[in-house]
Amino acid sequence: MTPMDPAPLRRDLVRAASLAALAPALPVAAQPAAAPAAAPTLRVNGAVHDLAGLDPRTTLLDWLRERLDLTGAKKGCNEGACGACTVLLDGRRVNACLVLAATLDGRSVTTVEGLARADGTLHPVQQAFIDHDAFQCGYCTPGQVVSAVACITEGHAGSEAEIREWMSGNLCRCAAYPQITAAVQDAAARMARGEA
Amino acid sequence: MNEGLGSPMPRRDGRIKVTGAARFAADVKLPGLLHAALVTAPIARGRLVALDPAPALAVPGVARVLTAADMPRFAAVTTPPMATAVQPMQDDVIRFEGQPVAIVLAATPEAAEAGAARVAARYAADAPLLFSGERAEVPSRESFYVFEEPDLARGDVPAGLAAAAHRVAARYHQPPRHHNPMENSATLAVWEDGRLTLHTAAQWTYGVRYGLAGALGLAPERIRVLAAHTGGGFGAKGYTWPHQLLAAVAAQVTGRPVRLAYTRAQMYTMTGYQPEVAQEVTLGADAAGRLTAVRHASVSNTSLTDDYIEFAHAGSAGMYATPALQLSARMARTSLNIPMAMRAPHEGPGMFALESAMDEMAHALGMDPLDLRLANHADADPSDGRPWSSKKLREAYGEGAALFGWRERPRQAARDGHWILGTGMASCIMTVFRFPASARITLRADGQVVLEAGTQDIGTGTLTIFPQIAAGELGIPIERVTLRHGDTDLPETGGTFGSSSTACVGAAVQDAARKLRARLDGIAALQPASLGAPAEAPEALLRRAGLADLSAEGRYEFGRPFDAAGHAGSHAMRTFGAVFVEVAVDPELGLMRLRRAVGSYSVGRIVNPRTARSQMIGGITWGWGMAAMEASVVDPALGRFLSKNLSGVAIPVNADIPADIRIHFVDEVDPHAGPLGAKGIGEIGAVGVAAAVANAVFHATGRRIRDLPILPEGLLGAGAG
């Protein structure tokens, strides 16, 4: 297992705090962070959602896509082999198709939709993907971007070879691999300089 | 001047694709949506004896189970636009494993999948039909898949071979390989007032309209096909497949919107694959290395009912000068689903064989492989003697070799620890495919320009390239151009396949922009000129003339619905290139790694060098996959694909592809292929790579591998002695 970098947690806390101020504007399903403890809840991109009454077969991926209309995470294989559904679960990357939503009471998920700042400023990884032309059709891209954020915060972006290994859980059939590697290297440098 | 052409502009779809905002077919929702799950046959050949939907209907949430009895009789439609002539769920005959036999419709995807697992079906299985070159047959010309002559002969091959100082004759083989785009094909269908709308994963919006209109007996105008973003295609989404037809029928029967999304396994049996190809190449050459004869014969597998064929000799038809050429393509039926064009079809499999054989010939001659290619450079099309529309292959060889350091490479294999390093090269060639296209451009009085074309985005860069062309023609910043695309309500274009979109749709965009300019000039001529005033902005002119907007329609056409290799005109049209690779082999473990590659191409004008580079890197990666890992193994007992997933079938991952891939384009404008001077680049990057790799393995180890992919068992112990 890899040590957690505190940076994303800090960022999540800041985001959650700012979202609390926006609570009246949240969708009906979303409740402020201080919801009653009895109802199972899952925090997604800072907003808390009710898990009660959920079909126990529902994967995190289907729940995000069908229930919350967060369709950035994609279904490429539905069995954990392609990485197109990668999201951060408590800061760690997971294949959302392999996680049952009903098991996630009290947990926190960040999807690709939750990476950019509220003012629209892109996350350094997102910007680097554009700068390095690190995608074509864009279907695997949300998973690549989320995976890259984790790859950097895990400390696995130390070299080109290391990035290539630790980004190999995310398939890209358009094959933008060298550009993805370059984008992760660039974003890692930007984040190390505190631009995140 | 075309100031928009040639600029390495960043992709305009960047923000929506890195934030997850870009919507693909399966991302679209409508109120009352039903989710469809297919029940598919587990046998390759035989009959569906009984099917009981009751257990599925008992699953909470399941609304309906559709069987063949619920289907309308589909009318016959040509292939293409339909992918296959035999439409699903019309009878009880099973023609391939994975064939759909029932559709379960439910309120949630979970209920639909649970229901599909509970449909009780009984089958009577016949023995599957496996691939055998001995059952080769000539394809019927009734299918548009047979777009070339299966046989081509020029000169006297036996005499050429008899006169040759050196001869090479060898057999090459490759297994079936699947497209595996990251997006599984999906369709959301909805009917409203007798009109059908589909949100679908497609490389050809208009093709889906024509396919469904024909099958359902509807006027094409009553079908609207929307495909804003398609998650990779590579040929798997070129034509009309069961997901589109069955979603349309299910939505009609239920009166509700229906989403039918293939599973990854269903991608293996309902979108095609590159067929198994067996080839035999015979070359004769004189003592100086000049070819005296080329013979290239191939057999590829097809289905029981459709005549899809891989013209593996397409590259041999256009590559080298030779006095004698004998080419043939045959197909052999199997009880697998229909194969399909896949990046890169025809030349892709064929150039593995030809360029491996050329390397064998170079070795026999004791000649540098590059010098052998140069000695046989074709100054005119060897298949018919026509002049080239443009060709700078000599420059591509030379500039590529210089970038790679080919002339300075070690003549003997080098060592790096456990690794033996080898270098190899191959020529690349691809037929130019062209389709007519149209586009509309509108200038508004506020200065904004709206560009419209039915064409779809599969990631090739066209969302940036078309606005670039329009902005360049109009002399305005690209920020003022909005592209509307992916919709059959917009002007008609061909498919995004055959490396054709930039050159053909781009030509229609250019024509529309030029016509708009001409109309603006006409309006300017009618307006009183302001003496000494600087050139007026077009929108200012529009306002002064009292117009809210001004439109022009542009077209690209050449008197036919389709052209391959320039047969519609006087010049032969192909793209060319050379690929150089350095490969490392560890014979103790049987491992093989790509160290570096150079691709150098003569492909006409490059409109956006940035997106073009990415496409070529993608193509080379596809070539590496073909060389080193890709194989969809057919179970010999069951006659079905053994692994229909991404865990049992290897495709390249990031760790497989080194950063050191250099892409070079020779400075070239093709004056005949179209007004942009561009040809196409989507496929040629994948051509020649597998041969270059096999040639590098031979250089490293002395072992010649003629069966793809090159796996550890083929490399163990190589070059150790």
Side-chain angles (χ1 to χ4, degrees), chain B residues 172 283 285 288-291 318-322 350-363 365 367-379 391 393-394 396-398 406-407 409 423-428 577-580 688-696 704:
Chain B
Y172 304 87
L283 304 176
R290 282 186 299 269
L291 291 168
M319 194 67 237
Y320 296 117
T322 173
M351 289 295 278
F352 165 63
L354 179 68
E355 289 301 284
S356 292
M358 285 293 281
D359 200 68
E360 299 195 48
M361 179 61 86
H363 186 69
L365 285 156
M367 201 168 167
D368 185 298
L370 177 55
D371 289 333
L372 180 65
R373 269 82 174 180
L374 287 165
N376 290 290
H377 182 271
D379 297 328
K391 180 178 185 180
L393 178 56
R394 285 185 193 283
Y397 283 137
W406 178 259
R407 299 294 188 188
R409 76 193 190 285
T423 50
M425 62 85 57
S427 300
C428 317
V579 60
F580 303 84
V689 180
V693 170
N695 298 342
R704 175 63 61 183

Side-chain angles (χ1 to χ4, degrees), chain A residues 55-59 62-79 81-84 112-116 119-122 125-127 129-142 144-145 160-161 163-181 184-185, chain B residues 10-11 13-15 17-24 26-29 33 35 59-60 108-111 113-114 118 177-184 229-232 234 259 264 342-343 457-460 594 610-615 617-619 621-622 625 630 644-647 651-661:
Chain A
D55 185 330
R57 296 169 298 188
T58 304
T59 62
D62 281 333
W63 188 73
L64 291 170
R65 291 177 52 80
E66 305 300 333
R67 223 36 114 69
L68 303 193
D69 201 27
L70 291 174
T71 55
K74 302 296 190 218
K75 192 183 281 188
C77 69
N78 212 24
E79 59 180 27
C82 77
V112 71
E113 291 91 344
L115 291 178
D119 67 357
T121 306
L122 295 176
V125 168
Q126 293 172 313
Q127 188 58 51
F129 266 62
I130 296 176
D131 294 347
H132 292 271
D133 207 41
F135 59 91
Q136 290 178 42
C137 79
Y139 195 80
C140 75
T141 310
Q144 300 277 0
V145 165
E160 177 207 313
I163 292 168
R164 284 168 53 192
E165 288 295 335
W166 287 90
M167 286 299 291
S168 281
N170 293 79
L171 302 178
C172 171
R173 192 60 160 157
C174 298
Y177 294 131
Q179 302 94 300
I180 290 169
T181 303
V184 176
Q185 267 188 305
Chain B
R11 284 174 205 263
D13 45 336
R15 172 173 275 272
K17 286 184 174 172
V18 301
T19 56
R23 293 262 171 175
F24 295 77
D27 299 338
V28 182
K29 277 178 204 64
L33 179 66
H35 298 264
V59 172
T108 64
E110 292 83 7
E113 282 170 37
R118 282 166 179 74
R177 302 159 59 212
H178 277 82
H179 305 75
N180 273 321
M182 295 319 301
E183 177 202 30
N184 294 329
H229 303 289
T230 292
F234 317 112
R259 183 201 292 161
R264 177 57 58 181
M342 186 178 102
R343 182 191 201 182
D457 165 42
I458 68 165
T460 57
L594 181 63
R610 179 184 173 92
T611 57
R613 169 179 176 265
S614 290
Q615 249 188 318
I617 290 173
T621 305
W622 272 68
E630 289 179 32
K644 301 188 293 183
N645 50 45
L646 292 169
S647 41
I651 62 173
V653 301
N654 201 321
D656 292 312
I657 305 303
D660 192 0
I661 297 179

Side-chain angles (χ1 to χ4, degrees), chain B residues 320-337:
Chain B
Y320 296 117
T322 173
L325 201 53
Q326 187 184 340
L327 312 173
S328 81
R330 296 290 183 268
M331 54 178 209
R333 297 203 183 279
T334 59
S335 50
L336 289 167
N337 46 302

Side-chain angles (χ1 to χ4, degrees), chain B residues 22-68:
Chain B
R23 293 262 171 175
F24 295 77
D27 299 338
V28 182
K29 277 178 204 64
L30 285 175
L33 179 66
L34 283 175
H35 298 264
L38 295 176
V39 179
T40 61
I43 61 165
R45 204 180 177 194
R47 223 164 49 78
L48 173 65
V49 176
L51 190 144
D52 181 9
L57 288 166
V59 172
V62 170
R64 189 81 193 256
V65 177
L66 303 180
T67 68

Side-chain angles (χ1 to χ4, degrees), chain B residues 440-494:
Chain B
R440 182 168 49 235
I441 193 162
T442 303
L443 170 68
R444 299 197 318 229
D446 64 2
Q448 294 297 308
V449 168
V450 179
L451 178 61
E452 296 173 300
T455 187
Q456 44 289 315
D457 165 42
I458 68 165
T460 57
T462 51
L463 299 187
T464 309
I465 286 168
F466 298 150
Q468 243 181 296
I469 293 168
E473 287 295 332
L474 296 173
I476 59 168
I478 194 169
E479 290 71 26
R480 280 167 51 188
V481 182
T482 303
L483 174 66
R484 296 184 59 216
H485 74 284
D487 184 348
T488 51
D489 277 358
L490 302 175
E492 179 163 359
T493 64

